[in-house]
Amino acid sequence: VQIHAHVMEDVMDLDELLNPKPKLVVGEPLDAISVDELQQRIVSFEAEIVRLKTEITKKQNSKAAADAFFKS
């Protein structure tokens, strides 16, 4: 069976679309990353922290509301 190179490239592109690699990886080596990219990552991580804290607050509020409902 002969597989053409462009078919394999399409398969690899499809795999990347279906299973994207995370852009931010905690603990990854930083040696080859530029200062600009590092600064962008800081902004992205800070935004993710805000998103995580918002979700925690939302879940805590939901739990508190449920607890209050079942206590009365």
Side-chain angles (χ1 to χ4, degrees), residues 43-57:
V43 169
S44 296
F45 276 121
E46 288 173 340
E48 181 65 5
I49 289 168
V50 168
R51 189 179 79 89
L52 293 168
K53 287 182 176 183
T54 300
E55 187 64 21
I56 288 170
T57 299

Side-chain angles (χ1 to χ4, degrees), residues 22 27 34 36 41 65:
S34 71
D36 288 340
R41 288 176 182 224

Side-chain angles (χ1 to χ4, degrees), residues 5-69:
H6 72 277
V7 172
M8 289 304 293
E9 289 174 10
D10 290 346
V11 170
M12 290 171 56
D13 291 342
L14 180 59
D15 186 50
E16 289 174 11
L17 287 173
L18 296 175
N19 303 305
K21 294 180 183 176
K23 293 181 181 179
L24 299 175
V25 178
V26 175
E28 99 179 273
L30 304 175
D31 307 17
I33 300 172
S34 71
V35 171
D36 288 340
E37 176 65 23
L38 291 171
Q39 290 171 333
Q40 287 291 334
R41 288 176 182 224
I42 289 171
V43 169
S44 296
F45 276 121
E46 288 173 340
E48 181 65 5
I49 289 168
V50 168
R51 189 179 79 89
L52 293 168
K53 287 182 176 183
T54 300
E55 187 64 21
I56 288 170
T57 299
K58 185 173 111 180
K59 289 179 183 227
Q60 289 172 333
N61 290 341
S62 293
K63 184 180 181 322
D67 289 346
F69 177 79

